Amino acid sequence: MSFALTPKEQLEVVSIGAADLISKEELLAKFEKSYKTGKPLVVKLGADPSAPDIHLGHTVVLQKLRQFQNLGHQAVFLIGDFTGRVGDPTGKKKTRPALSEEDVMKNADTYKTQIGKILDLSKTKIVFNSHWLNAMTFADVLKLTGQYTVARMLERDDFSTRFKNQTPISIVEFMYPLMQGYDSVALQADVELGGVDQTFNLLVGRELQRSYGQEPQVTLTLPILEGLDGKEKMSKSLGNYVGINESADQIFGKLMSIPDELMPRYFDLLTDLSPADITAVKERMKIEPKAVKVQLARTIAAKYHGDAAGAAAEAGFEKMFGKSGDGVPEHVEEINLSAPADGLALVKILVQAGLAPSGGEARRLITQGGVKIDQTKQDDPAKMFKAGESFLLQSGKRHFRKVTIKA
């Protein structure tokens, strides 16, 4: 095949937004060889299906894979159904429990659907690493483990810290980087993508390819996206995430809650705007921060649900929270709750209405001023409501219930 861009132009495209590239010279050489032979590079991105949903943090590296795909190279999305049962130990302070094969495969099925929102599935090769890892004999495993030393493994910060703190590290966890690296051997990958937290694992792949007589892959890592709180990395477990399968309204509303200082980073990592357009956006942000945040929220909502849905989400948000709105949605879920003779405490009402996952979280919301009754802020978690009372309950900016207390 022929490529529309020269090797240097391709390198310029994929280098944008990269945190680290090992190495730029090697990647240029690979592009030049590919350009001359017409053979696309094999560009690998692996994902362990440890959770069913893909969030915006995952899309940072998926978008980079799409860039390679758009340039004419072979995008390989590797689903770690085998490694997923072990679990990536990166950043873990203790040995994590293994997932069942059933859970892994359920999550893998959702991944295949969701990546189609970003990649051209007709040009994407989807593979499962159980295909070759299940087939390995014990002799094959011994050969693999012989390529790396314990000392090299302990160069990883998380392993080193756990070793110094005498926190257990299982041999299986040492195997994880080797299995991920062997995936690159099996696929004969030219390039592997990942977040910066995957640097060690990706470099293991380079070393293993050398050991197995292959040309080592280039590793391209990308920044980790901060979550909605602007502090911790985006994560479902921390509740600071935006799922790409969430509705356009949910995506829009969540993005309107991010700290202003996070907006430039979200534009950089999550949109397809050119560097010049992003520079213009950053300048405009100094004058019209809300308008820029609306642009960001609409752009990302439209990216995963279409322009019409993005525009509708903006209109719905402005109706609820704009200058003319009172902040109450047009349609609010109604719920009836039963109360004993002495009434039902506000903290229990929040939990039973589905606006807080636990009593502890409900108390935190109340004490931090995040709960209103009929648009009046509440500060007493123990406040009682008796049968016959009805009111509008609000948690945070966007969650409402019309509550009726019954005997």
Side-chain angles (χ1 to χ4, degrees):
M1 68 169 292
S2 60
F3 298 94
L5 299 184
T6 67
K8 287 186 177 180
E9 289 171 334
Q10 292 183 56
L11 181 63
E12 184 178 348
V13 168
V14 301
S15 296
I16 295 173
D20 201 6
L21 181 54
I22 303 174
S23 70
K24 185 172 285 191
E25 293 75 20
E26 289 180 43
L27 183 54
L28 179 59
K30 287 179 182 288
F31 279 142
E32 289 173 341
K33 182 179 179 181
S34 174
Y35 193 80
K36 289 177 183 177
T37 63
K39 183 180 178 181
L41 298 180
V42 175
V43 186
K44 166 198 172 191
L45 170 61
D48 278 352
S50 54
D53 296 322
I54 290 176
H55 57 60
L56 292 181
H58 299 128
T59 69
V60 175
V61 68
L62 278 164
Q63 289 180 146
K64 184 59 65 177
L65 182 59
R66 187 191 62 193
Q67 283 184 344
F68 277 95
Q69 188 177 60
N70 290 344
L71 290 171
H73 299 288
Q74 177 63 66
V76 178
F77 186 76
L78 182 145
I79 296 177
D81 61 322
F82 190 99
T83 44
R85 281 174 255 160
V86 175
D88 187 354
T90 301
K92 304 297 185 293
K93 294 183 174 65
K94 60 182 180 180
T95 299
R96 61 179 285 173
L99 294 174
S100 70
E101 183 175 0
E102 182 181 4
D103 287 338
V104 165
M105 293 311 297
K106 280 182 181 178
N107 295 342
D109 284 340
T110 70
Y111 274 29
K112 287 189 287 186
T113 301
Q114 293 174 76
I115 63 171
K117 292 177 178 284
I118 300 168
L119 302 174
D120 181 346
L121 289 182
S122 68
K123 298 178 181 178
T124 302
K125 185 176 181 180
I126 299 176
V127 296
F128 292 79
N129 64 4
S130 61
H131 180 72
W132 49 84
L133 293 179
N134 271 334
M136 294 182 78
T137 66
F138 196 63
D140 294 329
V141 174
L142 290 176
K143 179 181 178 181
L144 177 60
T145 57
Q147 310 305 316
Y148 235 73
T149 67
V150 171
R152 289 294 304 276
M153 284 295 179
L154 290 176
E155 289 175 5
R156 276 180 50 151
D157 289 341
D158 44 6
F159 283 158
S160 177
T161 300
R162 285 165 61 183
F163 184 73
K164 289 176 183 176
N165 293 337
Q166 297 186 335
T167 303
I169 305 170
S170 73
I171 298 299
V172 171
E173 290 180 281
F174 275 172
M175 289 297 300
Y176 186 94
L178 295 177
M179 289 188 287
Q180 181 174 331
Y182 189 78
D183 290 343
S184 294
V185 174
L187 293 168
Q188 298 185 40
D190 294 300
V191 182
E192 183 170 12
L193 309 178
V196 292
D197 58 341
Q198 290 293 308
T199 298
F200 183 91
N201 292 350
L202 271 57
L203 293 177
V204 170
R206 277 172 62 88
E207 294 302 315
L208 288 181
Q209 284 180 307
R210 283 194 184 98
S211 299
Y212 282 82
Q214 296 180 11
E215 182 179 290
Q217 65 186 13
V218 167
T219 63
L220 192 158
T221 55
L222 292 124
I224 301 298
L225 184 72
E226 295 86 355
L228 300 174
D229 55 7
K231 298 175 183 177
E232 303 288 344
K233 80 172 187 177
M234 185 171 285
S235 166
K236 280 204 73 175
S237 61
L238 295 175
N240 64 352
Y241 73 101
V242 180
I244 66 172
N245 259 3
E246 293 186 273
S247 70
D249 288 342
Q250 288 175 305
I251 291 174
F252 193 99
K254 284 187 174 184
L255 291 172
M256 288 300 292
S257 73
I258 67 172
D260 288 355
E261 58 269 21
L262 205 57
M263 285 194 287
R265 191 158 173 83
Y266 272 41
F267 270 108
D268 283 335
L269 298 179
L270 300 175
T271 73
D272 297 321
L273 296 183
S274 68
D277 287 339
I278 289 178
T279 298
V281 163
K282 291 175 181 178
E283 287 300 313
R284 184 184 175 207
M285 192 181 77
K286 299 174 184 176
I287 305 169
E288 302 176 291
K290 184 187 174 185
V292 172
K293 192 176 288 186
V294 167
Q295 179 186 350
L296 174 68
R298 183 180 64 244
T299 298
I300 295 177
K303 185 170 187 173
Y304 298 108
H305 293 283
D307 291 339
E314 178 185 352
F317 187 90
E318 286 300 319
K319 182 177 181 180
M320 186 184 302
F321 298 107
K323 292 180 180 178
S324 60
D326 60 5
V328 180
E330 186 175 349
H331 301 288
V332 177
E333 181 181 345
E334 298 184 16
I335 186 167
N336 295 321
L337 300 179
S338 299
D342 58 346
L344 196 61
L346 178 58
V347 67
K348 291 185 177 181
I349 291 173
L350 276 169
V351 175
Q352 292 182 25
L355 296 182
S358 65
E361 179 63 15
R363 287 187 183 86
R364 186 189 66 78
L365 286 168
I366 296 166
T367 56
Q368 291 183 355
V371 175
K372 294 181 181 179
I373 295 288
D374 292 331
Q375 298 189 286
T376 299
K377 194 173 293 186
Q378 304 295 307
D379 58 11
D380 181 7
K383 184 175 180 178
M384 304 298 287
F385 294 83
K386 296 188 175 182
E389 292 189 76
S390 295
F391 47 84
L392 178 69
L393 175 64
Q394 179 180 351
S395 172
K397 292 182 178 180
R398 300 184 300 278
H399 305 290
F400 297 83
R401 296 288 189 275
K402 289 180 181 177
V403 178
T404 299
I405 306 295
K406 296 189 174 183

